[in-house]
Structure formats: structure tokens, C-alpha cells
Amino acid sequence: MPALDKLKALIAPAKLLTDDSSLAAYGKDWSGQFTPAPLAVALPKTIEQVQAIVRWAIEQGVALVPSGGRTGLSGAAVAANGELVVAFDAMNQIIDFNPYERRVVCQPGVVTAQLQQFAQDNALYYPVDFASSGSSQIGGNISTNAGGIKVIRYGLTRQWVSGLKVVSGTGELLDLNQGLIKNATGYDLRQLFIGAEGTLGFIVEASMQLSRAPQNLTALVLAVTDLDCIMPLLHSFQSKLDLTAFEFFSEQALEKILARGDVPAPFETRCPFYALLEFEALNEDISNQALSLFEQALENGWVADGVISQSTQQLANLWKLREYISETLSHFSPYKNDLSVTVSRVPDFLRDIDQLVQQNYPDFAVIWYGHIGDGNLHLNILKPDNLSKEAFFSKCHEVNKQVFETVQRYQGSISAEHGVGLVKRSGLNYSRSPAEINAMKAIKAVFDPHGIMNPGKIF
Amino acid sequence: MPALDKLKALIAPAKLLTDDSSLAAYGKDWSGQFTPAPLAVALPKTIEQVQAIVRWAIEQGVALVPSGGRTGLSGAAVAANGELVVAFDAMNQIIDFNPYERRVVCQPGVVTAQLQQFAQDNALYYPVDFASSGSSQIGGNISTNAGGIKVIRYGLTRQWVSGLKVVSGTGELLDLNQGLIKNATGYDLRQLFIGAEGTLGFIVEASMQLSRAPQNLTALVLAVTDLDCIMPLLHSFQSKLDLTAFEFFSEQALEKILARGDVPAPFETRCPFYALLEFEALNEDISNQALSLFEQALENGWVADGVISQSTQQLANLWKLREYISETLSHFSPYKNDLSVTVSRVPDFLRDIDQLVQQNYPDFAVIWYGHIGDGNLHLNILKPDNLSKEAFFSKCHEVNKQVFETVQRYQGSISAEHGVGLVKRSGLNYSRSPAEINAMKAIKAVFDPHGIMNPGKIF
């Protein structure tokens, strides 16, 4: 194919892959619902090569799909329509570090865990963390504004990006905010590219800020007697302690985890919900404060039992109760949703969704877990044994419309942290108004006038 | 004027002012360089009235200027060309508060200090604070992404906005992000309106997040022996303590403050620079840590003297050394600049600018102060007594071009926190590339196709 030969020459010595196994691997993400069919896979090593690829794509009328760790669950990195995949695996270096500024300049293919490790090696901390941090790349994190388990204290990826270099859909390089903390010179275009899923341009370099490393992290797992006790519990702890996490999971989730056999039970008591709180036990005062809050929670009847970590090993074990859920449930062909509402509305929302699924499909098991301190709930509906995968997913699709209508009624988000991609595109209107969607499309046209940057994703 | 009569009827019973003193008062901000000449001043009380005003403006081809506390220094709220001023003084209520979410829903005319007080009354904290917080309004804070003295710990206004209602230049109401913590559904349009100086639309409601109230705030004022000691000093303290402020000012600034006679000297020692550090002394360990860091800094020769606050009265007095500077200097007709570079480049940058002014105008006094922990420096050049105001400002304008060129060379910002407005419009290209400025203009056209929303500001 002459167009590909031309591209190969343009980006040489960077690689251009066209073998079947590369196409299959690079054309999909963890959503797993789309058949990969990319034209080829380019692995640029420099910003100039990325620019050359974009100019080639404009000339040839070929669409581009950016590719990081492909750990996304929404199909944003899927190439199913003859697109050229632009994979950032070969741009995976940390190219600068300034300890005074706690700022790391990363290429987009730096793996999240690599940045976390780099921070740790420098007695600092990169606080955005989630289950796929061992594979996901910084470019992808930024493009989805990744959240995870420490948002209640450290915010989303957005908060840690102090500069972005992006190649827009015209092939131009934009150098946005250059690592500045304060810069009040007009619209902060950097913010637009964060969470844009590569539809406006590709991130080719990022300045990431680091934080002081947390000390003596300590977890409490509490057995919560009733859904309505979660909010006063959160309020009570949050008013006295700087929580680094406030996660939750349901009894059904705990059952599945304990059935694995490799995670110890936190305690004998069983309750409908469990909360995992984490804080820095910087000194004895803080630890005592946490214990007295726990005792108060017991007295108030909000919790029936609890355990506090006394070592890093115990801390790790308690976290397994929460962190192993996603992988454990994956064996039950779950129908997943990643929803959010404002924090105080979580109990009502959760009850409404439970009722909805129960009414429609009384034999479907619903498993809840998530980042309740951020209002972010992962809803998992498990396939009953007697139903085929196809029949199950088709029924779930039916109830999903009502789930999204409920989200809309609560003014919530149909995608709290997983992005929109292809999977949630048809649901975008439940969380964004027609005027907003029109504005987004017009903004896309500003940065991507040829419509070649990850087209068909988000909207 | 029939157009105004029509507007009056449209927004009744809300006020429409046309008297000279209102026009003069509402047509200007604290920049003080422009002659106010608005058409009239509308004081809407509801979102619907704001929408009616925008629709009227489209029909009549009248430009609109939003007006908050008008404490800005860049002329963003100036109406000098027959614009209609839309002042938010009558939309000044806190309309909702959710303690579980620590979220306050504010009308745009809520004064910053009013929100700070509300937070305090509810045992919480609104952390964005600066000299004009007694007059500035939340709508204006958001429109300039206000910074101030606690950014090193709490970030800019952007970080505290979880939802925005805006009326765009088409008169449409956009309800952006609705107070959600996590929402990964496409471009975060909320971020565009933050810092847009009212050029895309007017903020008519905002969800503001609050924080845990800081406890036992303690300040250290240190006499810094040399500019090059500032960065290791910051690094040393920041690696052990969560600083809530790291401010600095020069000996010349201190002289002016002490000459007032109402602020006690922190100590006898004189040094070229002083740093004001603040932290939460949550317990004795932390206070001891601060003292040992101070002793280390003495040993290293970074500082020559220091004082630590032992009471809230002493804390307030130490802060006066920093907070009274702006007002004190205002009596010397200063030529002001609000610049930023990345933190570690501050010393070199400051030296380069000093040299520049010295070379051109050896008789001009340069006074530095600012938020050095954020790389944000306020440069003040004082008028010599023997020079007229006009001659002085015209010479400053000349040297300003070289100041901005230096900023550009350092990839810094010509406006760290004061916005662009009219004052810095001609300097925008020193901090933003032509491609960025074109993108900004195209984005403005998306939200303000008729060009009526604060036209001529920023670019």
C-alpha cells in the first residue's frame, strides 16, 4: 500500500507494524466488545514523528486512534474501522525531574506505576492510583482524567497536570501552560485536552506534579449496619481526619472475595455494607482520634464491627478486600456501570437502582462497590448460570436505559471515571445537554478540522 | 432611549441604572486607567433576567460587561465603550449548603468574605483568600481563577468549583457538572469558563466546595540571606511540612511597611529578602519539626534570623508584613506587574528583571513581593519624586516590553493571577502562541457567536 510505505519512510526509524497479531493487540482495549481492524500501528519515538503522522493522515484522509496501555473500559482506544493506531509505547521516558517544583516531565507512554515508582524513589508520591496502574499510561490517564481510589484526598489526574504538549488535528504542536502553577492568560486549553479521549489531539508530553509521600497510612474497615448510616459516618470521620480514601463494597462483594480463599476476612460480623477508610496516622493523637470516632460510630449504631490495620501487611490485606473485587467479578461476566451522583444522594440513588433491577430481573444479582466518598458507584450485574451471555447482555441493555434515566433524574454522570469512548456514546445525552454536546462538537472542529483524531469516540 | 425602555420592562422589577454616578462607579475596576462610559447598569435578580438581558443585547447589538466587586487590576470589568454593565450585586445569596458534600451553592454576587464567613460558621473553610476578599465576588473570582496567599496548599479557585451555571452569548443556560466530583463524559466545559473573564458567558450560579478548617495556623517569618537560599529553604520545609503558605518580600518592601508605624518589626536583623511560611501546628511534633528545620536553615546560612507566631494575634501581625504591602505601595504610584515562572527559576528570573530595570532606569526603585511558593512574583516599580506620573508610566511602558520578553524567554506568564482584561491584552502573545490565541478566538465564537460578551477583553 503506497500510503503506508510513505508513512513508513516518514517516521523511520520508528516502527510501523502491520502483522495480524499486532493489529489484533493494538486495535482493542479492555472493553472487549469490538472487533479490532486497524490499518496499521505506528510507534513514534519523537514529537516530530507524531506531527508527521498527523500531517500524513490529513493528506491521506486516514483516521487516527491513540493507544496507551489500552486498559480503558469504554472503547476509546478501539480501532475497528481501518484507523491507524498511534501507540505511545516507544515514548516511555521520564525526561526531566525538578525536586524543588516536585515536577516530572513525562513522555505519554510512561506507565502509571513507573511514575509512582519514580516518585517513591525520590521520596515523593504520585497519588493517582487504580487497579490498572501497572499497565495504563500517563497519556491515557490524562485523556480520561483518571480517578481511582485516592480522589477524596488528592483529586483526579487533572489536578496533577501542570503542563501539556499536544499535537492537534492540524499537526500543530501546542505547548500548554509549561508547568506553571499560576497562569491567568485566557482560556486554559490544557483543561480541554484532559479527559478528551484523544478526540482533540494527542498528548505527546506532560508535566506531572508530585506530592509529599504519605506517612504511616492506616486503614479501617467497618461493617455498616444500614445504607443510611454511610453518610453520617463519612461526615463524622471527615470532619476530624483528612481521609485519603473512603471506599465501600456490599456484603455480596465481600462474599465473592472471601470465596477466593486467599484474602482473610476482616471480622466475623456480617453487615449489608462495608466501608474502607484510610488516613495518615502521623502521630498518636490522630490514631486515637480515629479510634474514638470508631467507638462513636459503634455507639450510634452506624457500624457493628471494625478493624484497624497495625502494619503495612495488614494495610495491604485490608485493601485487597476492595481492590480484588473488579478482577474477582470478571469471572461472572458482569454487566458493568460506572456511575456518579453528588455524594449525599448516593443512598437514595443506590436504592432506586436496586429496586429497578429487582423489579425487572428478580433473579439478577446486583453487586455494588466503589468510591463512595466521591459519589462514584460501580454497579455490577452478574449473569445467572441459567442464562446465555447474549440473552443476559440483551436484558441488561434493556434495563440500562432505565438506569441512565435514573442517573439523569439525579443529575449524575453515566461515566464517573471510565470515559465515554464507543461504549457510552449513545448515553451521553443523559449527562450532557444538547447545547453542551453541540458546543463539544464545535470545539472538536476547532482543534480537529479534518475529523481525523479518534473520530466516533465520545459523540 | 427606546432600547433601554424595552430592557427596563424586560427585567422589571430588577433595577436598571442610568444616573451618572452609577455609570461612573460601575464602569470601572481597580485598574483605574480607563474612563468609564457604560450605556447603563442592569442589576438582575434572577437567571431568567440575565438570559433576557443577553437576548436583548443580541437583538440590539449592544455589548455586555459583567461586573462583580470590580476589584480586578486588569480592566476586565471596565465598560468604556457604551456597553451595558450587568452587575451581580443583587444576586448575592447563598442558596444551598450540603454539609456531607461540603458544598455551597452561591449566586455570583456572593462576596468572597461572605463565603469565607459562611464556611467558618459551619466549622469549614473556604481557602481562596487575597487582599480584596472583602469586596470581590465569587463570580469574579471564578472568571479570573483567583489565586492569592494559600495556593501552595489549596490551589486556585478552579479547584473549588464543582458546578457552574452560565448564560452563554446565545442566551442559553448551561448547567455544567452539577456539583459532581467525578464526571468523565467528554470535555469539561466548566473549566473553560473558569478564568474566561466573562468573554464566553456569564456565571449565574456556582457550586463551591469547602475544606476542613485549618487548626492552629502558625507563621514563621525568616530573614533570608541570599536569593539563592530561597529554593533550598522551600524544599527543606516542604519535604517535612504541609505548608499552607510560602510568601516572600524584599527588604525594600519591609522598609515601607515598617515606615507606616503600625506594624511591629519581626526582628532586628536585616536581610535582602524575607520569607513568610505558614503551617498547621496540629501537635507538638509538627511544631518541633518546624523549629528544627529553622535551626538547620540557620546552620546552613540560608537564614539569619526568624520568628514564629505563638498566638493568633502574633500570627495576624506577622501576616500584616506581607498583606499590607500592596496597599502601602499604592501611595507611591507603582507600576505593577504580576508575573510567574516555574518555581525553581524564580531566583534567576528575578535577578534578570532587576538588572533590566537597573540598566534602563538606575533611579527607579524595584520592590518585589509575592507568592514565591507558586512562582508568582509581584513586581512593583516606584515612581521617583522628581518624575511626573506621565513620564514615569511612559518609561515603565518602554521597559515593560523587555520585561515581557524576559518572561517569554523563561516560558512564564505575563499575568499570574490578575487576568488579561484590557491592560495586558497587547502582551498576551508573550505567554500564549499564535495557535493558542487563534484557538481561543474560535472557542469564543462557539459560545458567543454575536461577539457581545465582554468584547475586547483578553484578545
mmCIF file with all atom_site columns, all heavy atoms in Angstrom, chain B residues 405-424:
data_model
loop_
_atom_site.group_PDB
_atom_site.id
_atom_site.type_symbol
_atom_site.label_atom_id
_atom_site.label_alt_id
_atom_site.label_comp_id
_atom_site.label_asym_id
_atom_site.label_entity_id
_atom_site.label_seq_id
_atom_site.pdbx_PDB_ins_code
_atom_site.Cartn_x
_atom_site.Cartn_y
_atom_site.Cartn_z
_atom_site.occupancy
_atom_site.B_iso_or_equiv
_atom_site.pdbx_formal_charge
_atom_site.auth_seq_id
_atom_site.auth_comp_id
_atom_site.auth_asym_id
_atom_site.auth_atom_id
_atom_site.pdbx_PDB_model_num
ATOM 1   N N   . GLU B 1 405 ? 9.504   40.220 27.375 1.00 0.00 ? 405 GLU B N   1
ATOM 2   C CA  . GLU B 1 405 ? 10.418  39.358 26.597 1.00 0.00 ? 405 GLU B CA  1
ATOM 3   C C   . GLU B 1 405 ? 11.173  38.397 27.509 1.00 0.00 ? 405 GLU B C   1
ATOM 4   O O   . GLU B 1 405 ? 11.406  37.239 27.164 1.00 0.00 ? 405 GLU B O   1
ATOM 5   C CB  . GLU B 1 405 ? 11.402  40.210 25.783 1.00 0.00 ? 405 GLU B CB  1
ATOM 6   C CG  . GLU B 1 405 ? 10.783  40.775 24.506 1.00 0.00 ? 405 GLU B CG  1
ATOM 7   C CD  . GLU B 1 405 ? 11.608  41.908 23.881 1.00 0.00 ? 405 GLU B CD  1
ATOM 8   O OE1 . GLU B 1 405 ? 12.684  42.250 24.421 1.00 0.00 ? 405 GLU B OE1 1
ATOM 9   O OE2 . GLU B 1 405 ? 11.154  42.445 22.865 1.00 0.00 ? 405 GLU B OE2 1
ATOM 10  N N   . THR B 1 406 ? 11.536  38.910 28.680 1.00 0.00 ? 406 THR B N   1
ATOM 11  C CA  . THR B 1 406 ? 12.213  38.040 29.650 1.00 0.00 ? 406 THR B CA  1
ATOM 12  C C   . THR B 1 406 ? 11.265  36.941 30.121 1.00 0.00 ? 406 THR B C   1
ATOM 13  O O   . THR B 1 406 ? 11.643  35.768 30.214 1.00 0.00 ? 406 THR B O   1
ATOM 14  C CB  . THR B 1 406 ? 12.726  38.873 30.851 1.00 0.00 ? 406 THR B CB  1
ATOM 15  O OG1 . THR B 1 406 ? 13.483  39.978 30.343 1.00 0.00 ? 406 THR B OG1 1
ATOM 16  C CG2 . THR B 1 406 ? 13.588  38.044 31.773 1.00 0.00 ? 406 THR B CG2 1
ATOM 17  N N   . VAL B 1 407 ? 10.015  37.331 30.409 1.00 0.00 ? 407 VAL B N   1
ATOM 18  C CA  . VAL B 1 407 ? 9.009   36.332 30.795 1.00 0.00 ? 407 VAL B CA  1
ATOM 19  C C   . VAL B 1 407 ? 8.899   35.254 29.714 1.00 0.00 ? 407 VAL B C   1
ATOM 20  O O   . VAL B 1 407 ? 8.888   34.058 30.007 1.00 0.00 ? 407 VAL B O   1
ATOM 21  C CB  . VAL B 1 407 ? 7.634   36.996 31.007 1.00 0.00 ? 407 VAL B CB  1
ATOM 22  C CG1 . VAL B 1 407 ? 6.553   35.940 31.209 1.00 0.00 ? 407 VAL B CG1 1
ATOM 23  C CG2 . VAL B 1 407 ? 7.665   37.942 32.208 1.00 0.00 ? 407 VAL B CG2 1
ATOM 24  N N   . GLN B 1 408 ? 8.860   35.686 28.471 1.00 0.00 ? 408 GLN B N   1
ATOM 25  C CA  . GLN B 1 408 ? 8.724   34.740 27.361 1.00 0.00 ? 408 GLN B CA  1
ATOM 26  C C   . GLN B 1 408 ? 9.928   33.788 27.304 1.00 0.00 ? 408 GLN B C   1
ATOM 27  O O   . GLN B 1 408 ? 9.775   32.595 27.107 1.00 0.00 ? 408 GLN B O   1
ATOM 28  C CB  . GLN B 1 408 ? 8.605   35.521 26.059 1.00 0.00 ? 408 GLN B CB  1
ATOM 29  C CG  . GLN B 1 408 ? 8.298   34.638 24.850 1.00 0.00 ? 408 GLN B CG  1
ATOM 30  C CD  . GLN B 1 408 ? 8.000   35.467 23.624 1.00 0.00 ? 408 GLN B CD  1
ATOM 31  O OE1 . GLN B 1 408 ? 8.587   36.536 23.424 1.00 0.00 ? 408 GLN B OE1 1
ATOM 32  N NE2 . GLN B 1 408 ? 7.072   35.003 22.802 1.00 0.00 ? 408 GLN B NE2 1
ATOM 33  N N   . ARG B 1 409 ? 11.101  34.369 27.489 1.00 0.00 ? 409 ARG B N   1
ATOM 34  C CA  . ARG B 1 409 ? 12.313  33.551 27.467 1.00 0.00 ? 409 ARG B CA  1
ATOM 35  C C   . ARG B 1 409 ? 12.263  32.487 28.558 1.00 0.00 ? 409 ARG B C   1
ATOM 36  O O   . ARG B 1 409 ? 12.737  31.375 28.376 1.00 0.00 ? 409 ARG B O   1
ATOM 37  C CB  . ARG B 1 409 ? 13.532  34.472 27.650 1.00 0.00 ? 409 ARG B CB  1
ATOM 38  C CG  . ARG B 1 409 ? 14.859  33.874 27.343 1.00 0.00 ? 409 ARG B CG  1
ATOM 39  C CD  . ARG B 1 409 ? 15.881  34.933 26.871 1.00 0.00 ? 409 ARG B CD  1
ATOM 40  N NE  . ARG B 1 409 ? 15.861  36.169 27.646 1.00 0.00 ? 409 ARG B NE  1
ATOM 41  C CZ  . ARG B 1 409 ? 16.437  36.319 28.847 1.00 0.00 ? 409 ARG B CZ  1
ATOM 42  N NH1 . ARG B 1 409 ? 17.082  35.320 29.416 1.00 0.00 ? 409 ARG B NH1 1
ATOM 43  N NH2 . ARG B 1 409 ? 16.372  37.481 29.488 1.00 0.00 ? 409 ARG B NH2 1
ATOM 44  N N   . TYR B 1 410 ? 11.643  32.824 29.706 1.00 0.00 ? 410 TYR B N   1
ATOM 45  C CA  . TYR B 1 410 ? 11.513  31.869 30.804 1.00 0.00 ? 410 TYR B CA  1
ATOM 46  C C   . TYR B 1 410 ? 10.260  31.010 30.679 1.00 0.00 ? 410 TYR B C   1
ATOM 47  O O   . TYR B 1 410 ? 9.938   30.262 31.581 1.00 0.00 ? 410 TYR B O   1
ATOM 48  C CB  . TYR B 1 410 ? 11.488  32.611 32.154 1.00 0.00 ? 410 TYR B CB  1
ATOM 49  C CG  . TYR B 1 410 ? 12.858  32.987 32.680 1.00 0.00 ? 410 TYR B CG  1
ATOM 50  C CD1 . TYR B 1 410 ? 13.505  34.147 32.283 1.00 0.00 ? 410 TYR B CD1 1
ATOM 51  C CD2 . TYR B 1 410 ? 13.518  32.138 33.588 1.00 0.00 ? 410 TYR B CD2 1
ATOM 52  C CE1 . TYR B 1 410 ? 14.762  34.483 32.781 1.00 0.00 ? 410 TYR B CE1 1
ATOM 53  C CE2 . TYR B 1 410 ? 14.763  32.466 34.090 1.00 0.00 ? 410 TYR B CE2 1
ATOM 54  C CZ  . TYR B 1 410 ? 15.381  33.634 33.683 1.00 0.00 ? 410 TYR B CZ  1
ATOM 55  O OH  . TYR B 1 410 ? 16.622  33.944 34.187 1.00 0.00 ? 410 TYR B OH  1
ATOM 56  N N   . GLN B 1 411 ? 9.540   31.132 29.575 1.00 0.00 ? 411 GLN B N   1
ATOM 57  C CA  . GLN B 1 411 ? 8.263   30.418 29.397 1.00 0.00 ? 411 GLN B CA  1
ATOM 58  C C   . GLN B 1 411 ? 7.326   30.659 30.577 1.00 0.00 ? 411 GLN B C   1
ATOM 59  O O   . GLN B 1 411 ? 6.664   29.741 31.064 1.00 0.00 ? 411 GLN B O   1
ATOM 60  C CB  . GLN B 1 411 ? 8.511   28.920 29.243 1.00 0.00 ? 411 GLN B CB  1
ATOM 61  C CG  . GLN B 1 411 ? 9.258   28.561 27.971 1.00 0.00 ? 411 GLN B CG  1
ATOM 62  C CD  . GLN B 1 411 ? 9.043   27.108 27.615 1.00 0.00 ? 411 GLN B CD  1
ATOM 63  O OE1 . GLN B 1 411 ? 9.508   26.219 28.287 1.00 0.00 ? 411 GLN B OE1 1
ATOM 64  N NE2 . GLN B 1 411 ? 8.301   26.878 26.547 1.00 0.00 ? 411 GLN B NE2 1
ATOM 65  N N   . GLY B 1 412 ? 7.297   31.913 31.014 1.00 0.00 ? 412 GLY B N   1
ATOM 66  C CA  . GLY B 1 412 ? 6.471   32.259 32.164 1.00 0.00 ? 412 GLY B CA  1
ATOM 67  C C   . GLY B 1 412 ? 5.153   32.884 31.753 1.00 0.00 ? 412 GLY B C   1
ATOM 68  O O   . GLY B 1 412 ? 4.771   32.854 30.576 1.00 0.00 ? 412 GLY B O   1
ATOM 69  N N   . SER B 1 413 ? 4.466   33.453 32.734 1.00 0.00 ? 413 SER B N   1
ATOM 70  C CA  . SER B 1 413 ? 3.163   34.077 32.483 1.00 0.00 ? 413 SER B CA  1
ATOM 71  C C   . SER B 1 413 ? 3.227   35.578 32.737 1.00 0.00 ? 413 SER B C   1
ATOM 72  O O   . SER B 1 413 ? 3.705   36.011 33.786 1.00 0.00 ? 413 SER B O   1
ATOM 73  C CB  . SER B 1 413 ? 2.096   33.458 33.377 1.00 0.00 ? 413 SER B CB  1
ATOM 74  O OG  . SER B 1 413 ? 0.866   34.117 33.165 1.00 0.00 ? 413 SER B OG  1
ATOM 75  N N   . ILE B 1 414 ? 2.717   36.348 31.784 1.00 0.00 ? 414 ILE B N   1
ATOM 76  C CA  . ILE B 1 414 ? 2.687   37.804 31.960 1.00 0.00 ? 414 ILE B CA  1
ATOM 77  C C   . ILE B 1 414 ? 1.560   38.216 32.908 1.00 0.00 ? 414 ILE B C   1
ATOM 78  O O   . ILE B 1 414 ? 1.482   39.368 33.318 1.00 0.00 ? 414 ILE B O   1
ATOM 79  C CB  . ILE B 1 414 ? 2.494   38.543 30.628 1.00 0.00 ? 414 ILE B CB  1
ATOM 80  C CG1 . ILE B 1 414 ? 1.177   38.094 29.958 1.00 0.00 ? 414 ILE B CG1 1
ATOM 81  C CG2 . ILE B 1 414 ? 3.688   38.349 29.714 1.00 0.00 ? 414 ILE B CG2 1
ATOM 82  C CD1 . ILE B 1 414 ? 0.450   39.166 29.253 1.00 0.00 ? 414 ILE B CD1 1
ATOM 83  N N   . SER B 1 415 ? 0.683   37.265 33.253 1.00 0.00 ? 415 SER B N   1
ATOM 84  C CA  . SER B 1 415 ? -0.336  37.546 34.251 1.00 0.00 ? 415 SER B CA  1
ATOM 85  C C   . SER B 1 415 ? -0.577  36.289 35.054 1.00 0.00 ? 415 SER B C   1
ATOM 86  O O   . SER B 1 415 ? -1.285  35.379 34.624 1.00 0.00 ? 415 SER B O   1
ATOM 87  C CB  . SER B 1 415 ? -1.631  38.022 33.611 1.00 0.00 ? 415 SER B CB  1
ATOM 88  O OG  . SER B 1 415 ? -2.511  38.463 34.629 1.00 0.00 ? 415 SER B OG  1
ATOM 89  N N   . ALA B 1 416 ? 0.036   36.234 36.220 1.00 0.00 ? 416 ALA B N   1
ATOM 90  C CA  . ALA B 1 416 ? -0.041  35.012 37.015 1.00 0.00 ? 416 ALA B CA  1
ATOM 91  C C   . ALA B 1 416 ? -1.420  34.823 37.604 1.00 0.00 ? 416 ALA B C   1
ATOM 92  O O   . ALA B 1 416 ? -1.978  33.740 37.583 1.00 0.00 ? 416 ALA B O   1
ATOM 93  C CB  . ALA B 1 416 ? 1.005   35.060 38.123 1.00 0.00 ? 416 ALA B CB  1
ATOM 94  N N   . GLU B 1 417 ? -1.998  35.910 38.125 1.00 0.00 ? 417 GLU B N   1
ATOM 95  C CA  . GLU B 1 417 ? -3.310  35.761 38.769 1.00 0.00 ? 417 GLU B CA  1
ATOM 96  C C   . GLU B 1 417 ? -4.229  36.950 38.570 1.00 0.00 ? 417 GLU B C   1
ATOM 97  O O   . GLU B 1 417 ? -5.335  36.957 39.072 1.00 0.00 ? 417 GLU B O   1
ATOM 98  C CB  . GLU B 1 417 ? -3.143  35.462 40.265 1.00 0.00 ? 417 GLU B CB  1
ATOM 99  C CG  . GLU B 1 417 ? -2.336  36.515 41.026 1.00 0.00 ? 417 GLU B CG  1
ATOM 100 C CD  . GLU B 1 417 ? -2.278  36.238 42.537 1.00 0.00 ? 417 GLU B CD  1
ATOM 101 O OE1 . GLU B 1 417 ? -2.793  35.201 42.976 1.00 0.00 ? 417 GLU B OE1 1
ATOM 102 O OE2 . GLU B 1 417 ? -1.727  37.085 43.256 1.00 0.00 ? 417 GLU B OE2 1
ATOM 103 N N   . HIS B 1 418 ? -3.813  37.963 37.858 1.00 0.00 ? 418 HIS B N   1
ATOM 104 C CA  . HIS B 1 418 ? -4.653  39.158 37.700 1.00 0.00 ? 418 HIS B CA  1
ATOM 105 C C   . HIS B 1 418 ? -5.454  39.174 36.410 1.00 0.00 ? 418 HIS B C   1
ATOM 106 O O   . HIS B 1 418 ? -6.210  40.103 36.171 1.00 0.00 ? 418 HIS B O   1
ATOM 107 C CB  . HIS B 1 418 ? -3.804  40.434 37.799 1.00 0.00 ? 418 HIS B CB  1
ATOM 108 C CG  . HIS B 1 418 ? -3.237  40.667 39.169 1.00 0.00 ? 418 HIS B CG  1
ATOM 109 N ND1 . HIS B 1 418 ? -2.301  41.631 39.421 1.00 0.00 ? 418 HIS B ND1 1
ATOM 110 C CD2 . HIS B 1 418 ? -3.471  40.046 40.346 1.00 0.00 ? 418 HIS B CD2 1
ATOM 111 C CE1 . HIS B 1 418 ? -1.982  41.598 40.709 1.00 0.00 ? 418 HIS B CE1 1
ATOM 112 N NE2 . HIS B 1 418 ? -2.674  40.645 41.288 1.00 0.00 ? 418 HIS B NE2 1
ATOM 113 N N   . GLY B 1 419 ? -5.303  38.176 35.566 1.00 0.00 ? 419 GLY B N   1
ATOM 114 C CA  . GLY B 1 419 ? -6.050  38.140 34.309 1.00 0.00 ? 419 GLY B CA  1
ATOM 115 C C   . GLY B 1 419 ? -5.442  39.059 33.264 1.00 0.00 ? 419 GLY B C   1
ATOM 116 O O   . GLY B 1 419 ? -4.390  39.679 33.473 1.00 0.00 ? 419 GLY B O   1
ATOM 117 N N   . VAL B 1 420 ? -6.124  39.139 32.130 1.00 0.00 ? 420 VAL B N   1
ATOM 118 C CA  . VAL B 1 420 ? -5.610  39.898 30.989 1.00 0.00 ? 420 VAL B CA  1
ATOM 119 C C   . VAL B 1 420 ? -6.408  41.183 30.776 1.00 0.00 ? 420 VAL B C   1
ATOM 120 O O   . VAL B 1 420 ? -5.842  42.283 30.728 1.00 0.00 ? 420 VAL B O   1
ATOM 121 C CB  . VAL B 1 420 ? -5.636  39.027 29.703 1.00 0.00 ? 420 VAL B CB  1
ATOM 122 C CG1 . VAL B 1 420 ? -5.116  39.817 28.510 1.00 0.00 ? 420 VAL B CG1 1
ATOM 123 C CG2 . VAL B 1 420 ? -4.805  37.765 29.893 1.00 0.00 ? 420 VAL B CG2 1
ATOM 124 N N   . GLY B 1 421 ? -7.715  41.047 30.688 1.00 0.00 ? 421 GLY B N   1
ATOM 125 C CA  . GLY B 1 421 ? -8.588  42.211 30.543 1.00 0.00 ? 421 GLY B CA  1
ATOM 126 C C   . GLY B 1 421 ? -8.173  43.099 29.395 1.00 0.00 ? 421 GLY B C   1
ATOM 127 O O   . GLY B 1 421 ? -7.882  42.638 28.291 1.00 0.00 ? 421 GLY B O   1
ATOM 128 N N   . LEU B 1 422 ? -8.125  44.395 29.657 1.00 0.00 ? 422 LEU B N   1
ATOM 129 C CA  . LEU B 1 422 ? -7.636  45.356 28.669 1.00 0.00 ? 422 LEU B CA  1
ATOM 130 C C   . LEU B 1 422 ? -6.156  45.641 28.859 1.00 0.00 ? 422 LEU B C   1
ATOM 131 O O   . LEU B 1 422 ? -5.421  45.886 27.912 1.00 0.00 ? 422 LEU B O   1
ATOM 132 C CB  . LEU B 1 422 ? -8.407  46.680 28.815 1.00 0.00 ? 422 LEU B CB  1
ATOM 133 C CG  . LEU B 1 422 ? -9.906  46.655 28.515 1.00 0.00 ? 422 LEU B CG  1
ATOM 134 C CD1 . LEU B 1 422 ? -10.563 47.958 28.960 1.00 0.00 ? 422 LEU B CD1 1
ATOM 135 C CD2 . LEU B 1 422 ? -10.145 46.409 27.021 1.00 0.00 ? 422 LEU B CD2 1
ATOM 136 N N   . VAL B 1 423 ? -5.719  45.586 30.119 1.00 0.00 ? 423 VAL B N   1
ATOM 137 C CA  . VAL B 1 423 ? -4.384  46.065 30.468 1.00 0.00 ? 423 VAL B CA  1
ATOM 138 C C   . VAL B 1 423 ? -3.282  45.224 29.831 1.00 0.00 ? 423 VAL B C   1
ATOM 139 O O   . VAL B 1 423 ? -2.262  45.740 29.396 1.00 0.00 ? 423 VAL B O   1
ATOM 140 C CB  . VAL B 1 423 ? -4.221  46.100 32.005 1.00 0.00 ? 423 VAL B CB  1
ATOM 141 C CG1 . VAL B 1 423 ? -2.790  46.435 32.407 1.00 0.00 ? 423 VAL B CG1 1
ATOM 142 C CG2 . VAL B 1 423 ? -5.195  47.105 32.626 1.00 0.00 ? 423 VAL B CG2 1
ATOM 143 N N   . LYS B 1 424 ? -3.489  43.895 29.798 1.00 0.00 ? 424 LYS B N   1
ATOM 144 C CA  . LYS B 1 424 ? -2.397  43.027 29.335 1.00 0.00 ? 424 LYS B CA  1
ATOM 145 C C   . LYS B 1 424 ? -2.686  42.388 27.985 1.00 0.00 ? 424 LYS B C   1
ATOM 146 O O   . LYS B 1 424 ? -1.955  41.493 27.549 1.00 0.00 ? 424 LYS B O   1
ATOM 147 C CB  . LYS B 1 424 ? -2.144  41.947 30.378 1.00 0.00 ? 424 LYS B CB  1
ATOM 148 C CG  . LYS B 1 424 ? -1.702  42.545 31.699 1.00 0.00 ? 424 LYS B CG  1
ATOM 149 C CD  . LYS B 1 424 ? -0.823  41.596 32.456 1.00 0.00 ? 424 LYS B CD  1
ATOM 150 C CE  . LYS B 1 424 ? -0.195  42.276 33.645 1.00 0.00 ? 424 LYS B CE  1
ATOM 151 N NZ  . LYS B 1 424 ? 0.372   41.286 34.559 1.00 0.00 ? 424 LYS B NZ  1
#
